[in-house]
Amino acid sequence: MAVESSSSHQFMGRSRQSFLNQDISPDSSVKSRDWDTTSRWSEQSNPEIVSPSTSSNWKHTHSSTPPGNRNFQKARHMQWVFQLVDVAEGLMAKMYKLNQKLDYPEPNTFQFSDSFWKAGVIPNFPKLCMHITKKFPEHPGKLQLERVDKLGLDSLYENVEAYLENLEPWLMLLLDLMTFREQALRLILDLSSTVITLLPHQNSLILHAFMDLFCAFVRVNLFSDKVPRKMIVQVYNLMHTMLRSGRDYEFYHRLVQFIDSYDPPLKGLHEDLNFVSPRIGEVLEAVGPIIFLAADTQKLRNEGFLSPFHPRYPDILTNSAHPMRAQDLANVNGHRDWVLLGYLVCPSELLRITGIDIAMCILLHEEYQLYVLPKILESKKMAKAGRAKQKEADAEYNIAKQVEKMICDVHDQAISCAEGIHRERRILLKQEIGRMVLFFSDQPSLLAPNIQMVFSALALARSEVMWYFRHIGVVSVKSKATRIVPVEIDSSDPTIGFLLDGMDKLCCLVRKYVSAIRGYALAYLASAAERIRFLLGSPGMIALDIDAELRNLFQQVIGCLEKSPKPQGEHVSTATADLSDFRKNWLSVLMVVTSSRSSINIRHLEKATISTGKEGLVSEGNAAYVWSRSVDELEDQLSTHACVKQLYYYRQHLTVVFRNTMFGPEGRPQHCCAWLGVASSFPDNATVSVPEEFLKIGRDAVSYVESLIESIMGGLEGLINILDSESGFGSLESKLLPEQAAIRMNHAAKVAMPSSKSMKSNSDLPLPGNESEPANRDTIKMLEAAVQRLTSLCSVLNEMEPICILNHVFVLREYLRDCVLNNFRRRLITILKIDRDLQRPSVLESLVHRHMNIVHLVEQHVSMDLTQGMREVLLSEAFSGPIRGLHTFEKPVQNTGTAISIICDWYLENVVKDVNGAGILFTPIDKCFKSARPVGGYFAEAVTDLSELKAFVRLFGPYGVDKLDGMIREHLTALLNCIDTTLRSNKEYLEALSAHMHNSRERDYYLKQVHELEPLINFSIQAGQALCFTSLLAEAAGQVLDANTPLLFSLLSDFTKHLPASLPEREDIRRLKTLTNTLGVTTEHDIALVNSILLDMVGVGDVTWGLLPYLYATCMTSNIWNTSAFNVSTGGFNNNVHCLARCINAVIAASEFVRAERKELERQLLSQQQSNRNGTELKELEAELQNLEGITSVEVNIKASMKIFIKCASTIILQSWSDSNRSPLVAKLIFLDQLCELSNYLPRSTLEVHVPYAILRSIYQQYFENSVPTLVLISPSRRHSLGIPLSHVPSRNGQFYSDHTVESGEGATSSTLKFAAQRKSPLLDLESSSDADIKPIGGGVRLSGPLDYTGMRKVSFLDTPSSDGTSGPSPLRRFVMSRSGPITYK
């Protein structure tokens, strides 16, 4: 069956309920035992429905009613109509529950699933039950069931009482169906034979009630075919005979007769409704014009039936172009159901003249070919047989032939043409509803007079939406072919979204101006009361002989209208405006005056009152009835005409169409609210008789909303990401980059050259502003469309009311906020890396700013602070734990800091550790790291420049700085532990070396005994490289802090300068120093960092650590110097040996601080243990003096240790050089000079004691003249004649002569310029400046390298050389009087 069960038309509204609350009394013809059997209806079908037999006053009312008062009995007929319609709905709900419990069986094909037998309704004996079902209507006792299933029959005997109890409620359902059929059919026959007119323009109210009962009767019987009626009756009677000694159930034979007569149901319907068929055909013929009008799209558009404007003059505002037609169009869905079911059960009415045309407007289903076509063929055969005898038979034969052809062809025609027809209707409704929303939003005062037009638009839109989803994806079979052809319904039709959105907006307008509509309706009712009173007093009415009861009903109608609230502008509540009594009385009047047995009928009333020149009495009453519903049943009418709750059964298609249309080229994202609002009506599909459906439908509705919200938020993210892509706002930003201007200038310069051949390539470059040209505006249009969709979607989501489904509340604004922030978080993680490599921090910062600008655009259309949310996201991605020195709480248990962890891991692995072996070098002049080959997608300088680190700090703030600094601290801790291990493993040899430093033979011996020297240098260089990176990071953090919070930066800086010096330091002061050191406020960054690490290490500061200068002095014998080459343009060595100097300075100084602090702690502990006889003030004074002495002694110890290192290193360097062992002397001397320049505790005068500054100056001078030939012109001089080893001197092209040295001379010219600009110092000393051969160019050019031997030169802290045993004659004394230079090769 293709007929779908739906709820009956609710045209009568609450009048039905008002009738149900009254006493009823049937006429004498319905006094039978059958009415008593309906007492189960209220229990088995619907608890809210009261059956006739359950009325407490049923028999009393019947006995007290005068038997001759037929007017009173006809007035009560309406109550029975409403009650039976409600009973029909309850019965269908009960059958649906049984069907659901039995897993939707197919009784006609005997297809039953395992769930059917396990449901507990039918005994689980398939052979037995199916056998007696197939033998229906034979009595089960005559079937010899022992031969079918002996074991099953015995088991049935044993548990017959339990099985009978389980099946009994469903047998009662069949009894109710049988009783309903009898009572409903009796009432239908009575109304059709007694009501004098059922035409829509004369008696529309009674017509709708009658046809509602008719359709409910048909639907109940059609749906009963889905229930296994035969099996239930046969099995129940079998068990009843077992339990009652072979006696049949009392209603068994009546049930068998009922089921057999309705097998199939249409067979019984054809027989039962044969007597009312002419009346049904009359009704269907009468509603034909309304159906034709609804199907004529062109006429609806041209005549303006759905337009609030005048159909001929659109500029003229009119209340309603076609008020009555608008009301008829609101009921067109019900009329279509009448036609569909009416011709199905009354097929002979198709032979009327207009029957074919009316049926052609309705989608006929395959049941017409199965059950209607045989009836037509029978009529055709009879007409053909009588053609020779009667002239009318010829016309009947032709009509039957046409109907036969129509039934055969209309199904295939509908499959091929229906989609186009309905698409045209949807387009019309989209346009008209859109105009209607704009019109009534601008002119709300005209909404009340046109409320029926609004209902018509809602009903037609609802019909088209339901048709679309009922047929999308449906598979049908053509009548003339066996192949299956799917209905071609476009699942991306954007008009569905427009219709749903238009319906939602119209409903919102009606609810917004409900007070105005009620006021207008009350005003109309007040005037209608006066007109009805005038008509009742007219001469024609006085001349009529109206009985007292009918006159009393008229007076009650007028009284109800006059008692209605008077509109005074205030809000009229529904409770104080109950007009149900008026509608009940008026329906009673209509039932009396439309009865053929009444002395005064509707025609008499119309003739008596129409002569007044106004509307007739019946017309006035009907109009008042319609307007009364706009007072207290406005919400019910909205739910009737605009409710789309049945879309619940098509929610999968609903989701698919939504996803295909919302963000399509013709879709509108702002329609999403209407799609979401549909789910609010889904729970209305649940019935009271099936309570478990409430939870199931509620869960499905919640799942549907969540699915749509996921799609909406996915579309929102897509719009944001489109704008944030390189083809979005990125394409506009790229045209503003300085590189674009440089490219344009380079091309312009090439074009200006006569020999240039780049004219063609230059023309390919787009000129600034070319995107504004009409031919190139596609990109701009795409961006404008994306921005418009984004802003409109955000505005709608912000203004949408919360969606409530059961106990779930969906607030779209909150989903929008979470979507934007989560998308930003994912976008941040995505752009961190490009092609599995880290994105440059400056580029990352620009991308984040671009995304934030888009979010600011969204923020303008929502009432939320999304900027604060983005800051929280950045904070959560930067926070991985408390900042050392600032926070005292422990790290919370939450997964945060994903982004900062990715960046820090990359920097640590690829820059600090250089795990990929990219040749990372630190360049002191440029303050960045450089690499021999790219680290991923960039060279190292592209991601370690100070500007890049500042961008990193601006993005992730102090938390990011602390995270990266903490990871490097862990790396430094591991390296310092390795240095400590090496120191302790060589303790014995270092002690012997310190004692025999001036004994060359012993010294060389012990130098060779020191092991793990190369790993020590490697660890130390790595530690120095880590210190360089943390120093750059701290400097970047300090600059950002100073630029953004200068007050805080100056506060920390000044406070750090005035911190009291103490040993040991207080915990709060130490924490503050750690914080300021991380943020780049302090100057001694390296020493403070290493000091904080050594304090946590065990054993640091003991006697072994006093041998640290000797350990590092042994590094001068390493093979690493053979490949070391100094680069003037970078200020460092080609193998990062200059980082060794940074490590030596920091580790030696920090170890002395740690040693002094731990000694002071031991002293304080001993002093506390001893009894102190002095006062407290004296103790504090002594402690302060000892503290100052301790700090001074620490500085002296640091200087002494550095002096020991310089002395030992110089001795090893110079004593190890000889003609046979030409060690790389120049690199080592430059290394010592760099250490002196780096350390605040090592003045150059200390180095001068061992290495004369003239040697160093000559080395630097030759480096400079070979690397900067264009800036400084130096002629050969006596000092230049000194023979410097060429293996350590760079040539003019930046390459070393030695095969073992490699210099990164990339960008030599620019680097040299930068070096010369940054090294502005006084010229050579007096001895050098007096040389006539040296002609410096520019007073700011320094030719001696980093040394400064003028007045700004460092002063030694020791005025005279040490006279102890460790000092001796300088190893370079033999070169003092040499005229050939300090170093010569033979």
Side-chain angles (χ1 to χ4, degrees):
M1 296 290 292
V3 178
E4 299 184 17
S5 63
S6 61
S7 60
S8 62
H9 199 274
Q10 300 180 9
F11 182 81
M12 298 302 165
R14 286 187 188 171
S15 59
R16 174 182 303 169
Q17 297 299 329
S18 64
F19 271 113
L20 294 179
N21 295 330
Q22 303 296 324
D23 296 336
I24 59 175
S25 62
D27 55 11
S28 57
S29 62
V30 298
K31 291 166 50 180
S32 66
R33 180 181 175 184
D34 300 336
W35 280 102
D36 296 334
T37 61
T38 60
S39 61
R40 297 174 300 277
W41 289 359
S42 60
E43 301 174 0
Q44 297 184 5
S45 58
N46 196 333
E48 298 177 358
I49 299 173
V50 182
S51 64
S53 62
T54 58
S55 176
S56 60
N57 298 326
W58 173 266
K59 295 182 179 179
H60 174 73
T61 305
H62 171 69
S63 61
S64 62
T65 302
N69 193 351
R70 293 191 176 275
N71 288 340
F72 184 80
Q73 293 176 3
K74 299 305 295 182
R76 296 302 182 186
H77 271 161
M78 288 304 296
Q79 180 178 359
W80 305 337
V81 171
F82 297 148
Q83 182 179 14
L84 287 176
V85 170
D86 287 339
V87 168
E89 294 179 1
L91 289 174
M92 293 181 69
K94 194 71 175 179
M95 288 187 289
Y96 171 74
K97 180 180 179 179
L98 177 60
N99 244 3
Q100 187 183 45
K101 193 171 185 179
L102 296 179
D103 193 23
Y104 306 100
E106 294 291 339
N108 296 327
T109 58
F110 299 98
Q111 294 179 2
F112 305 105
S113 63
D114 294 338
S115 301
F116 174 88
W117 301 106
K118 296 178 181 179
V121 176
I122 306 295
N124 192 5
F125 306 111
K127 291 184 180 180
L128 189 65
C129 296
M130 292 183 68
H131 180 74
I132 60 178
T133 303
K134 291 179 180 179
K135 296 297 182 179
F136 180 88
E138 295 186 28
H139 194 281
K142 303 177 181 180
L143 298 178
Q144 297 181 356
L145 300 178
E146 295 83 358
R147 297 182 178 182
V148 178
D149 189 359
K150 181 67 169 59
L151 295 178
L153 190 63
D154 295 341
S155 178
L156 189 63
Y157 269 111
E158 295 175 0
N159 303 287
V160 64
E161 293 184 0
Y163 290 135
L164 191 69
E165 183 180 358
N166 293 336
L167 191 58
E168 186 174 4
W170 307 110
L171 183 77
M172 296 299 103
L173 174 61
L174 298 183
L175 284 176
D176 290 339
L177 287 172
M178 182 180 66
T179 306
F180 171 78
R181 174 244 180 180
E182 296 172 355
Q183 302 306 324
L185 186 60
R186 183 179 294 118
L187 187 58
I188 289 173
L189 293 174
D190 184 68
L191 289 176
S192 65
S193 61
T194 58
V195 177
I196 60 175
T197 179
L198 285 174
L199 299 180
H201 62 281
Q202 293 179 351
N203 195 13
S204 61
L205 300 179
I206 304 301
L207 171 63
H208 280 85
F210 172 76
M211 292 305 296
D212 282 350
L213 176 60
F214 172 81
C215 293
F217 176 75
V218 174
R219 288 193 180 99
V220 167
N221 286 283
L222 290 177
F223 193 58
S224 65
D225 194 37
K226 300 295 182 181
V227 177
R229 298 171 296 171
K230 300 177 184 179
M231 185 176 293
I232 291 175
V233 171
Q234 294 286 75
V235 173
Y236 186 86
N237 191 65
L238 175 63
M239 293 188 295
H240 190 276
T241 56
M242 293 178 179
L243 195 62
R244 301 298 172 88
S245 302
R247 188 170 53 184
D248 291 335
Y249 177 58
E250 57 179 329
F251 293 106
Y252 170 70
H253 295 286
R254 290 186 60 190
L255 286 172
V256 168
Q257 182 182 1
F258 164 66
I259 295 172
D260 187 57
S261 63
Y262 273 77
D263 185 26
L266 281 173
K267 169 189 172 185
L269 289 172
H270 287 164
E271 295 177 358
D272 290 343
L273 298 176
N274 185 40
F275 294 100
V276 299
S277 179
R279 205 65 189 271
I280 297 299
E282 177 186 338
V283 170
L284 299 183
E285 191 174 12
V287 299
I290 303 174
I291 295 176
F292 293 150
L293 176 62
D296 193 348
T297 307
Q298 193 69 24
K299 188 174 182 180
L300 288 175
R301 179 183 288 109
N302 294 339
E303 297 296 328
F305 286 96
L306 296 177
S307 175
F309 300 96
H310 194 280
R312 297 289 183 269
Y313 309 99
D315 296 336
I316 301 177
L317 299 180
T318 176
N319 288 345
S320 178
H322 307 277
M324 295 306 296
R325 282 303 188 191
Q327 180 179 340
D328 293 335
L329 288 174
N331 302 318
V332 71
N333 293 329
H335 296 165
R336 288 170 178 166
D337 290 343
W338 299 353
V339 172
L340 188 66
L341 297 177
Y343 287 136
L344 181 64
V345 298
C346 303
S348 60
E349 300 308 313
L350 278 171
L351 299 176
R352 290 175 178 262
I353 297 177
T354 58
I356 300 176
D357 298 332
I358 296 174
M360 287 292 290
C361 294
I362 307 299
L363 174 62
L364 301 182
H365 43 76
E366 53 269 20
E367 267 70 13
Y368 274 77
Q369 298 179 358
L370 298 177
Y371 301 104
V372 176
L373 187 59
K375 296 288 184 180
I376 301 300
L377 293 177
E378 182 180 351
S379 300
K380 177 184 174 183
K381 183 177 181 182
M382 293 177 60
K384 184 178 181 180
R387 289 175 69 182
K389 300 179 181 180
Q390 299 180 0
K391 296 181 180 180
E392 296 83 4
D394 190 32
E396 292 179 3
Y397 175 79
N398 293 332
I399 293 176
K401 191 174 181 180
Q402 293 178 14
V403 173
E404 177 189 4
K405 185 177 185 302
M406 181 269 296
I407 294 177
C408 293
D409 297 342
V410 71
H411 186 65
D412 294 341
Q413 184 180 358
I415 291 178
S416 59
C417 303
E419 168 60 11
I421 296 172
H422 284 276
R423 185 187 299 112
E424 187 178 354
R425 293 180 189 174
R426 292 195 297 269
I427 294 174
L428 169 67
L429 291 172
K430 166 191 168 182
Q431 297 170 350
E432 295 298 336
I433 291 179
R435 296 175 60 192
M436 196 177 290
V437 170
L438 294 177
F439 178 82
F440 289 132
S441 299
D442 186 58
Q443 300 288 337
S445 60
L446 297 179
L447 178 61
N450 291 277
I451 190 64
Q452 294 300 325
M453 182 183 295
V454 174
F455 291 155
S456 301
L458 290 174
L460 291 176
R462 173 183 176 273
S463 174
E464 290 303 319
V465 170
M466 295 305 303
W467 184 93
Y468 179 86
F469 285 104
R470 282 171 179 166
H471 293 82
I472 185 172
V474 173
V475 178
S476 301
V477 181
K478 287 188 175 182
S479 60
K480 295 183 179 180
T482 57
R483 65 188 185 92
I484 297 178
V485 180
V487 179
E488 295 181 358
I489 304 294
D490 185 11
S491 62
S492 59
D493 188 359
T495 57
I496 300 299
F498 282 95
L499 292 183
L500 290 175
D501 183 65
M503 293 171 62
D504 182 65
K505 289 181 178 178
L506 282 179
C507 292
C508 291
L509 283 174
V510 173
R511 293 187 178 98
K512 181 178 181 181
Y513 299 106
V514 62
S515 298
I517 297 172
R518 287 174 178 169
Y520 182 89
L522 288 173
Y524 182 90
L525 293 177
S527 62
E530 298 177 0
R531 291 193 297 271
I532 292 176
R533 183 176 291 277
F534 171 77
L535 292 175
L536 288 175
S538 62
M541 289 296 297
I542 295 175
L544 291 176
D545 186 14
I546 302 177
D547 57 6
E549 183 183 359
L550 182 58
R551 188 176 298 277
N552 185 32
L553 286 175
F554 278 122
Q555 293 300 325
Q556 290 179 8
V557 168
I558 296 176
C560 292
L561 291 177
E562 291 178 345
K563 290 179 183 178
S564 61
K566 299 299 183 289
Q568 299 177 356
E570 71 277 3
H571 176 71
V572 181
S573 64
T574 306
T576 60
D578 187 4
L579 297 176
S580 58
D581 291 339
F582 159 71
R583 291 190 290 274
K584 178 194 69 174
N585 293 328
W586 180 249
L587 287 176
S588 300
V589 169
L590 289 179
M591 285 300 299
V592 172
V593 299
T594 57
S595 174
S596 61
R597 301 168 185 173
S598 176
S599 59
I600 304 297
N601 58 39
I602 189 172
R603 295 186 180 92
H604 298 152
L605 294 178
E606 286 296 307
K607 289 180 180 180
T609 56
I610 198 64
S611 59
T612 59
K614 300 179 180 180
E615 293 287 340
L617 181 62
V618 177
S619 300
E620 285 288 351
N622 288 340
Y625 185 99
V626 173
W627 279 106
S628 68
R629 298 197 65 206
S630 297
V631 177
D632 57 347
E633 291 188 359
L634 190 61
E635 193 64 34
D636 292 342
Q637 293 186 87
L638 279 179
S639 63
T640 299
H641 299 301
C643 181
V644 289
K645 65 179 182 180
Q646 292 180 0
L647 288 179
Y648 163 75
Y649 302 102
Y650 312 100
R651 58 188 181 277
Q652 289 83 5
H653 297 302
L654 204 66
T655 305
V656 172
V657 175
F658 169 78
R659 291 175 178 172
N660 291 341
T661 59
M662 178 180 172
F663 295 100
E666 298 182 11
R668 296 293 184 272
Q670 57 267 31
H671 294 166
C672 63
C673 296
W675 291 87
L676 289 169
V678 169
S680 300
S681 61
F682 285 174
D684 297 339
N685 290 286
T687 59
V688 181
S689 59
V690 192
E692 60 271 12
E693 274 205 336
F694 280 101
L695 293 178
K696 178 182 181 302
I697 295 178
R699 288 193 298 267
D700 293 339
V702 169
S703 176
Y704 165 79
V705 173
E706 291 176 347
S707 176
L708 256 64
I709 290 178
E710 182 181 357
S711 300
I712 293 171
M713 297 308 149
L716 178 65
E717 292 181 6
L719 290 173
I720 294 177
N721 293 337
I722 286 174
L723 296 177
D724 193 28
S725 63
E726 294 303 322
S727 59
F729 287 160
S731 62
L732 301 180
E733 292 179 355
S734 63
K735 297 178 181 179
L736 303 178
L737 295 176
E739 289 80 356
Q740 296 293 328
I743 294 174
R744 167 62 61 177
M745 293 176 63
N746 289 336
H747 279 276
K750 292 179 180 180
V751 171
M753 298 175 61
S755 60
S756 176
K757 298 182 180 180
S758 60
M759 291 292 292
K760 185 176 181 179
S761 61
N762 186 36
S763 62
D764 295 337
L765 288 175
L767 293 172
N770 72 310
E771 66 276 0
S772 301
E773 297 178 1
N776 302 326
R777 284 186 57 85
D778 292 341
T779 304
I780 302 300
K781 289 180 180 179
M782 184 271 292
L783 293 179
E784 290 176 350
V787 170
Q788 183 180 3
R789 289 196 174 195
L790 177 64
T791 54
S792 62
L793 177 61
C794 294
S795 299
V796 170
L797 294 179
N798 180 63
E799 297 171 0
M800 185 177 181
E801 295 294 329
I803 302 174
C804 301
I805 300 176
L806 298 182
N807 57 344
H808 291 74
V809 180
F810 298 91
V811 183
L812 271 297
R813 295 174 63 253
E814 299 300 327
Y815 280 93
L816 183 145
R817 183 180 186 276
D818 294 342
C819 171
V820 171
L821 298 184
N822 291 333
N823 180 59
F824 174 64
R825 179 180 284 105
R826 289 191 296 270
R827 179 67 176 164
L828 179 62
I829 299 299
T830 303
I831 62 179
L832 279 179
K833 288 192 173 184
I834 176 172
D835 296 333
R836 298 182 179 180
D837 193 53
L838 184 69
Q839 182 68 272
R840 293 175 58 186
S842 58
V843 177
L844 179 63
E845 184 184 20
S846 65
L847 294 177
V848 169
H849 279 299
R850 186 173 72 192
H851 194 96
M852 293 186 71
N853 291 334
I854 298 173
V855 175
H856 290 162
L857 179 65
V858 173
E859 196 174 26
Q860 296 175 4
H861 297 82
V862 296
S863 54
M864 291 183 294
D865 187 3
L866 297 178
T867 304
Q868 181 63 27
M870 295 186 68
R871 291 172 180 169
E872 294 175 357
V873 171
L874 283 174
L875 180 61
S876 65
E877 293 300 324
F879 178 77
S880 58
I883 297 179
R884 293 181 308 276
L886 181 62
H887 299 150
T888 57
F889 61 87
E890 296 182 357
K891 179 181 178 180
V893 185
Q894 56 182 356
N895 188 16
T896 58
T898 304
I900 192 61
S901 298
I902 294 174
I903 295 180
C904 293
D905 290 340
W906 190 91
Y907 270 113
L908 182 64
E909 297 295 328
N910 293 276
V911 177
V912 178
K913 293 183 179 180
D914 191 16
V915 294
N916 295 324
I920 302 294
L921 299 176
F922 176 69
T923 57
I925 292 180
D926 297 325
K927 288 187 177 180
C928 69
F929 288 85
K930 293 186 178 182
S931 60
R933 60 176 180 271
V935 183
Y938 304 99
F939 285 93
E941 55 267 27
V943 291
T944 59
D945 187 69
L946 194 60
S947 60
E948 298 293 333
L949 294 180
K950 288 166 65 176
F952 167 82
V953 175
R954 284 192 296 268
L955 274 176
F956 299 101
Y959 287 108
V961 174
D962 184 73
K963 171 67 175 178
L964 184 53
D965 184 75
M967 296 179 67
I968 297 177
R969 283 174 61 93
E970 295 177 0
H971 178 57
L972 271 174
T973 303
L975 294 175
L976 292 176
N977 283 324
C978 294
I979 294 174
D980 178 66
T981 303
T982 305
L983 179 62
R984 296 185 183 280
S985 63
N986 292 291
K987 177 182 178 182
E988 180 181 353
Y989 304 113
L990 293 177
E991 289 177 347
L993 179 64
S994 63
H996 302 85
M997 178 58 67
H998 295 287
N999 189 336
S1000 60
R1001 181 177 300 176
E1002 296 292 335
R1003 182 183 66 236
D1004 295 340
Y1005 172 76
Y1006 290 112
L1007 283 175
K1008 293 179 181 179
Q1009 296 302 318
V1010 175
H1011 55 275
E1012 297 181 359
L1013 190 59
E1014 299 300 332
L1016 172 66
I1017 296 179
N1018 187 22
F1019 295 149
S1020 300
I1021 290 176
Q1022 290 186 39
Q1025 190 171 346
L1027 290 174
C1028 294
F1029 190 87
T1030 55
S1031 177
L1032 287 177
L1033 182 64
E1035 183 179 356
Q1039 293 183 12
V1040 173
L1041 186 66
D1042 189 18
N1044 293 277
T1045 56
L1047 182 60
L1048 177 61
F1049 182 82
S1050 62
L1051 178 64
L1052 291 175
S1053 179
D1054 295 341
F1055 190 68
T1056 304
K1057 294 177 182 178
H1058 299 87
L1059 279 176
S1062 62
L1063 280 178
E1065 292 179 337
R1066 290 164 39 190
E1067 182 62 27
D1068 52 351
I1069 295 178
R1070 180 173 297 171
R1071 288 173 50 203
L1072 181 59
K1073 283 187 175 181
T1074 303
L1075 175 64
T1076 56
N1077 188 57
T1078 304
L1079 297 179
V1081 179
T1082 58
T1083 55
E1084 294 290 341
H1085 173 271
D1086 296 351
I1087 297 176
L1089 177 59
V1090 176
N1091 182 31
S1092 63
I1093 296 175
L1094 294 180
L1095 284 173
D1096 298 330
M1097 293 175 58
V1098 180
V1100 178
D1102 56 6
V1103 179
T1104 306
W1105 276 78
L1107 302 173
L1108 190 61
Y1110 297 98
L1111 177 65
Y1112 277 119
T1114 60
C1115 294
M1116 298 298 111
T1117 62
S1118 173
N1119 294 326
I1120 195 173
W1121 302 104
N1122 296 329
T1123 59
S1124 300
F1126 181 72
N1127 192 343
V1128 177
S1129 61
T1130 63
F1133 291 89
N1134 61 338
N1135 54 2
N1136 260 350
V1137 175
H1138 50 281
C1139 293
L1140 177 63
R1142 197 152 192 160
C1143 175
I1144 292 173
N1145 174 59
V1147 173
I1148 291 178
S1151 64
E1152 294 296 335
F1153 276 107
V1154 172
R1155 182 193 303 178
E1157 183 171 345
R1158 290 182 175 175
K1159 285 185 178 180
E1160 180 64 21
L1161 287 174
E1162 293 177 359
R1163 189 194 63 78
Q1164 291 179 4
L1165 183 62
L1166 292 175
S1167 63
Q1168 289 177 2
Q1169 294 176 355
Q1170 296 177 357
S1171 59
N1172 189 2
R1173 299 178 181 178
N1174 299 326
T1176 306
E1177 296 181 358
L1178 183 59
K1179 288 175 57 181
E1180 293 179 355
L1181 182 60
E1182 291 180 353
E1184 184 176 356
L1185 292 175
Q1186 291 176 359
N1187 187 20
L1188 294 176
E1189 293 176 358
I1191 295 175
T1192 305
S1193 64
V1194 169
E1195 295 179 353
V1196 172
N1197 291 337
I1198 294 174
K1199 294 176 181 179
S1201 298
M1202 297 299 292
K1203 178 183 176 183
I1204 292 174
F1205 169 75
I1206 290 295
K1207 181 179 180 180
C1208 296
S1210 301
T1211 302
I1212 294 173
I1213 292 172
L1214 298 176
Q1215 292 294 341
S1216 62
W1217 183 85
S1218 64
D1219 294 338
S1220 59
N1221 183 17
R1222 299 182 178 183
S1223 61
L1225 177 62
V1226 173
K1228 297 178 182 179
L1229 295 181
I1230 293 177
F1231 171 79
L1232 295 180
D1233 181 69
Q1234 284 190 337
L1235 179 61
C1236 294
E1237 183 183 6
L1238 180 67
S1239 176
N1240 293 330
Y1241 302 98
L1242 186 61
R1244 279 206 177 89
S1245 58
T1246 306
L1247 182 60
E1248 290 178 9
V1249 176
H1250 309 284
V1251 181
Y1253 62 86
I1255 299 176
L1256 295 172
R1257 185 173 63 249
S1258 63
I1259 293 174
Y1260 282 118
Q1261 187 172 355
Q1262 191 160 356
Y1263 266 101
F1264 269 85
E1265 74 174 16
N1266 288 328
S1267 61
V1268 197
T1270 59
L1271 294 182
V1272 182
L1273 300 177
I1274 303 178
S1275 301
S1277 63
R1278 293 174 300 177
R1279 207 168 285 279
H1280 289 170
S1281 64
L1282 299 177
I1284 303 298
L1286 295 178
S1287 60
H1288 306 285
V1289 180
S1291 64
R1292 294 184 180 272
N1293 57 9
Q1295 298 295 330
F1296 288 90
Y1297 293 106
S1298 175
D1299 295 336
H1300 302 284
T1301 59
V1302 180
E1303 178 181 348
S1304 59
E1306 183 180 358
T1309 304
S1310 60
S1311 301
T1312 304
L1313 291 175
K1314 186 174 181 181
F1315 179 84
Q1318 291 182 354
R1319 293 289 183 173
K1320 293 184 179 180
S1321 304
L1323 296 177
L1324 303 176
D1325 55 7
L1326 295 177
E1327 181 181 355
S1328 302
S1329 59
S1330 61
D1331 197 333
D1333 295 333
I1334 300 178
K1335 297 180 181 180
I1337 300 177
V1341 180
R1342 177 179 176 178
L1343 305 180
S1344 60
L1347 299 180
D1348 184 5
Y1349 294 99
T1350 59
M1352 298 178 62
R1353 186 179 64 182
K1354 291 184 181 180
V1355 180
S1356 174
F1357 61 89
L1358 295 176
D1359 295 335
T1360 59
S1362 177
S1363 59
D1364 56 4
T1366 59
S1367 63
S1370 174
L1372 292 183
R1373 183 170 298 176
R1374 62 180 183 272
F1375 299 115
V1376 171
M1377 301 305 295
S1378 174
R1379 301 294 296 176
S1380 61
I1383 304 174
T1384 58
Y1385 290 102
K1386 295 182 180 180

